[in-house]
């Protein structure tokens, strides 16, 4: 279904991509109150706006968190030894990885990333992987942060086992900026995805899909690569520090597609789920 861009369109004053994602917020039926305390509150009301979309997004974020705390990753079924507490960056990365481009589904929206829909409409069934499903989920909830821009990149190798969509999302919780800053990004990381089909930097998009080349993103703490059809074979993902103004900077990496983790070299990391 198409979602009307009711309110809170981007970009921000310094050009960052906002909103990050969409949730239904038009003509949503919710609980109502008669403002009597104490008093009956069994009525309902219909309204529109971010006040209606935000609770849906918060509930979806809670489901993402439970997916990891119940140990669904990496097997796709609950397993207590696999359970861990995801970082906020990982929860956000999964939400963005699940987002679908409404322009590709016949809706009157600019292709992602856009000021109307950000990275698209949250659809958890396109990201969370379960036993017997057609899709896999690779996660690196990277707790060991970059201390300086001179440090070596983190490399994660993956194998694309069959042609199909490939989405790679890098998110980091940036240090607080100043309201006086012209650019609000304090710690700047770069995403680069390379494989048989070429080399793609984060946030280099045209028509809703990643394209080679383009200038590095120097504004956002979210970087995405999306290929509607990724070629089979070995692919390499690199996360490199460009500027670290407030060390140390950790991150979360999410890869969705017909993929499995490869065996290539990588910088020592924190909590990694295979």
């Amino acid at each position: 279904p198409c979602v009307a861009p009711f309110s809170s369109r981007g970009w921000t004053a310094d050009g960052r991509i906002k909103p990050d994602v969409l949730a239904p917020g038009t003509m949503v039926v919710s609980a109502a109150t008669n403002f009597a305390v104490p008093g009956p509150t069994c009525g309902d009301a219909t309204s529109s706006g971010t006040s209606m979309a935000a609770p849906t997004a918060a509930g979806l974020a809670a489901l993402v968190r439970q997916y990891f705390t119940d140990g669904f990753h990496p097997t796709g079924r609950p397993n207590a030894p696999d359970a861990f507490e995801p970082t906020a960056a990982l929860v956000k990365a999964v939400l963005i990885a699940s987002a679908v481009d409404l322009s590709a589904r016949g809706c009157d929206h600019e292709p992602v990333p856009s000021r109307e829909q950000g990275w698209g409409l949250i659809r958890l069934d396109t990201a969370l992987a379960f036993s017997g499903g057609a899709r896999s989920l690779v996660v690196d909830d990277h707790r060991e942060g970059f201390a300086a821009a001179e440090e070596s990149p983190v490399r994660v190798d993956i194998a694309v086992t069959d042609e199909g969509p490939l989405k790679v999302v890098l998110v980091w919780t940036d240090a607080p900026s100043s309201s006086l800053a012209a650019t609000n990004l304090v710690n700047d990381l770069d995403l680069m995805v390379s494989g048989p089909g070429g080399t793609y930097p984060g946030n280099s998009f045209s028509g809703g899909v990643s394209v080679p080349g383009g200038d590095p993103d120097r504004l956002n703490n979210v970087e995405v690569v999306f290929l509607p059809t990724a070629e089979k074979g070995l692919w390499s993902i690199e996360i490199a520090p460009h500027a670290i103004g407030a060390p140390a900077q950790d991150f979360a990496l999410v890869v969705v597609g017909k993929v499995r983790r490869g065996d290539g070299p990588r910088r020592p990391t924190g909590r990694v789920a295979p």
Side-chain angles (χ1 to χ4, degrees):
C2 296
V3 177
F6 188 86
S7 59
S8 295
R9 300 188 188 189
W11 311 110
T12 65
D14 68 351
R16 285 171 292 149
I17 298 169
K18 293 294 175 184
D20 287 303
V21 287
L22 289 186
T26 302
M27 302 300 290
V28 176
V29 179
S30 181
T33 178
N34 59 4
F35 298 102
V37 182
T41 56
C42 296
D44 57 64
T46 301
S47 187
S48 300
T50 51
S51 294
M52 310 306 287
T56 298
L60 293 169
L63 290 175
V64 172
R65 177 184 177 277
Q66 186 175 1
Y67 178 86
F68 294 109
T69 59
D70 283 353
F72 274 92
H73 188 72
T75 64
R77 58 175 66 90
N79 183 35
D82 291 326
F84 69 99
E85 186 76 30
T87 61
L90 177 56
V91 173
K92 181 176 178 179
V94 173
L95 292 176
I96 293 173
S98 80
V100 297
D101 184 354
L102 293 177
S103 72
R105 286 160 171 76
C107 300
D108 185 19
H109 289 64
E110 296 177 1
V112 299
S114 76
R115 61 186 295 268
E116 292 182 339
Q117 62 170 323
W119 293 106
L121 178 68
I122 302 171
R123 285 283 304 271
L124 293 188
D125 59 328
T126 68
L128 298 182
F130 295 93
S131 178
R135 160 191 334 104
S136 299
L137 177 66
V138 172
V139 165
D140 189 347
D141 200 5
H142 200 96
R143 309 296 177 95
E144 179 188 342
F146 291 109
E150 296 74 24
E151 290 191 11
S152 299
V154 171
R155 175 177 160 184
V156 177
D157 291 331
I158 61 169
V160 174
T161 58
D162 198 4
E163 289 189 355
L166 175 67
K167 195 168 187 178
V168 182
V169 180
L170 169 68
V171 173
W172 64 98
T173 301
D174 196 21
S177 181
S178 165
S179 61
L180 302 178
T183 300
N184 292 109
L185 194 64
V186 175
N187 293 331
D188 188 1
L189 307 183
D190 288 334
L191 172 67
M192 190 71 70
V193 179
S194 303
T199 297
Y200 302 88
N203 293 1
S204 179
F205 272 72
S206 177
V209 301
S210 291
V211 293
D215 296 329
D217 188 312
R218 296 289 173 250
L219 294 174
N220 294 281
N221 68 327
V222 172
E223 295 203 5
V224 177
V225 168
F226 172 67
L227 302 173
T229 305
E231 295 185 28
K232 291 176 61 176
L234 296 178
W235 290 72
S236 176
I237 301 168
E238 283 198 350
I239 300 94
H242 172 74
I244 304 296
Q249 182 60 62
D250 55 11
F251 63 84
L253 178 72
V254 170
V255 184
V256 177
K258 296 181 179 180
V259 297
R260 60 174 175 80
R261 187 180 292 277
D263 300 322
R266 56 202 310 277
R267 180 175 177 265
T269 65
R271 174 70 167 94
V272 176

